[in-house]
Amino acid sequence: MSDRPTPRRTSGIRSVVRIFPDLEDDLLINLFHKAAKMQWTSRDLDWGQALQMTPRQNQALARMLTPVYLGEQTAMAGAANILPQMMEAGESTAQIYLASFIMDEARHFEALTRLYRKLEYHPMGLRELPEMLRYHHRLRTGDRVDWVWGILISDLFAKLFYQWFADAQREGLFGRMSAKILVDESRHQAFAEHYLRRNVPKLEAARRQALVEMRDELFRIMRAMEDRLRADCGALNFDGNAFLDRLWGELEYFSKRIGLTNGGPPGDRPDDTPPERPDEQPQAPQPRTTLHLAGLSLPRCFGCLLTMICHPRPALA
Ligand SMILES: [Fe+2]
Ligand SMILES: [Fe+2]
């Protein structure tokens, strides 16, 4: 078999698939090695340990966890879709890192599935929390820079969520699980920041502005979800407003770190405030077999939703 590079034509530009790529010893390779050495699974947790919550609090956690749980699944599946795009673009260290990211998200997904069994409650249905569909539809729009930006935003949400439980339930089963997940999430955050700091400054101003708008839209959707989950937050003494304020602070901080300037130099945006809470009120469940949101006909179950979310998207030009 010949080991000569295979010439290909992509977007009118002659490119070569590298069988033996240069692998720089960069941050992404270091993150890959860290991840490979810090493996754990749900079997490392003590499932005989009490949840230290009332039945109402178990239900509240099951409901509040729903968007995070779906996020773990879509991050895993979305990364599997993005990885070949990174390969094609010659981003060798990013593709190797992403393989460890997929394993991390699979671990979180599996551990949370087991937690749901322990809680004896299911995640909320898509009809009960339709904002999840809007959120994940928005995440799948765009190229791999958009995807990494969406992952960073979602990871910041997840980090603050897990951090709260790791602190509040230090001796409880979910608190301990949260502390383990947080270690993984810190690597994801480091990856996303590194990748975006390298790529965002190369984008045209209109593309950078679109990333700012994407952030604001995702934040609005998060606020709508928080509105809908307010009673559950109350059951766990989880201050949803304070949570979103902290999240907005993190989003602003990372926006500036990666070179998003909100239409001007960092910090000079005249309306540098969190997007307003949407006016929409919680919707009563609709007696339909299919949800219609954002021009999409969406299936009811998570599996079908994931298939839709992970449909291949165009590669970065
Ligand atoms: Fe995760
Ligand atoms: Fe993550």
Side-chain angles (χ1 to χ4, degrees):
M1 191 175 100
S2 168
D3 61 354
R4 292 173 63 189
T6 307
R8 298 183 49 169
R9 189 165 288 278
T10 305
S11 305
I13 300 169
R14 190 172 178 81
S15 64
V16 174
V17 172
R18 300 286 304 276
I19 293 172
F20 187 65
D22 297 325
L23 275 189
E24 300 170 61
D25 224 5
D26 65 4
L27 177 83
L28 302 187
I29 285 292
N30 287 338
L31 291 173
F32 163 77
H33 281 286
K34 268 190 187 168
K37 285 190 173 171
M38 295 178 70
Q39 295 293 318
W40 60 274
T41 74
S42 66
R43 293 182 183 174
D44 296 318
L45 293 162
D46 177 5
W47 290 89
Q49 191 178 14
L51 284 161
Q52 300 185 336
M53 292 189 291
T54 65
R56 171 65 185 108
Q57 288 176 324
N58 286 358
Q59 182 196 35
L61 175 59
R63 289 170 58 84
M64 290 169 63
L65 195 53
T66 303
V68 177
Y69 180 59
L70 180 60
E72 302 288 10
Q73 296 176 65
T74 53
M76 175 184 69
N81 181 38
I82 291 292
L83 193 151
Q85 295 184 25
M86 291 180 163
M87 190 174 179
E88 175 133 1
E91 297 173 344
S92 305
T93 59
Q95 90 190 45
I96 286 176
Y97 161 77
L98 214 54
S100 70
F101 174 98
I102 292 171
M103 180 64 183
D104 290 346
E105 302 300 11
R107 170 166 55 236
H108 304 167
F109 169 39
E110 192 272 342
L112 292 180
T113 302
R114 198 163 167 190
L115 178 74
Y116 269 111
R117 279 192 223 118
K118 176 96 174 171
L119 290 169
E120 298 184 329
Y121 283 97
H122 285 172
M124 293 173 75
L126 298 174
R127 291 172 185 285
E128 293 178 278
L129 200 56
E131 291 81 9
M132 285 191 297
L133 300 176
R134 283 170 49 204
Y135 189 91
H136 290 284
H137 172 61
R138 187 65 187 85
L139 281 190
R140 71 184 286 274
T141 307
D143 56 33
R144 60 187 188 280
V145 170
D146 295 277
W147 182 79
V148 175
W149 180 221
I151 281 292
L152 177 56
I153 293 169
S154 302
D155 275 347
L156 291 172
F157 179 97
K159 178 186 81 170
L160 294 178
F161 182 86
Y162 289 124
Q163 185 71 63
W164 190 89
F165 284 95
D167 292 341
Q169 301 184 1
R170 206 171 287 272
E171 301 303 320
L173 175 60
F174 185 54
R176 292 198 168 163
M177 182 192 295
S178 295
K180 283 186 165 296
I181 292 176
L182 275 170
V183 176
D184 296 341
E185 296 299 347
S186 68
R187 288 194 303 276
H188 303 176
Q189 190 177 302
F191 154 72
E193 182 187 347
H194 177 81
Y195 189 86
L196 293 168
R197 283 182 83 168
R198 259 197 329 207
N199 288 287
V200 168
K202 298 177 200 161
L203 301 176
E204 292 177 359
R207 280 281 286 119
R208 291 201 301 274
Q209 181 57 28
L211 293 176
V212 170
E213 288 164 12
M214 175 181 173
R215 175 199 67 192
D216 292 354
E217 184 181 346
L218 292 176
F219 189 79
R220 273 189 217 98
I221 298 171
M222 289 173 189
R223 289 207 101 132
M225 286 197 265
E226 186 261 333
D227 272 350
R228 215 178 277 278
L229 291 164
R230 182 151 302 160
D232 301 295
C233 292
L236 283 161
N237 297 318
F238 180 101
D239 185 337
N241 285 329
F243 175 83
L244 287 174
D245 286 348
R246 280 193 66 199
L247 177 61
W248 182 256
E250 295 256 351
L251 292 175
E252 280 194 313
Y253 173 78
F254 280 98
S255 296
K256 290 171 187 169
R257 295 271 299 169
I258 66 170
L260 292 181
T261 57
N262 296 341
D268 283 0
R269 190 187 185 198
D271 59 342
D272 221 4
T273 53
E276 290 301 313
R277 191 184 298 276
D279 293 334
E280 60 193 74
Q281 296 298 315
Q283 299 163 7
Q286 300 295 310
R288 298 192 314 212
T289 55
T290 305
L291 289 171
H292 297 273
L293 290 170
L296 292 171
S297 293
L298 296 166
R300 296 176 62 184
C301 75
F302 267 23
C304 298
L305 174 66
L306 282 169
T307 304
M308 182 277 292
I309 288 169
C310 300
H311 191 269
R313 302 171 310 160
L316 189 71

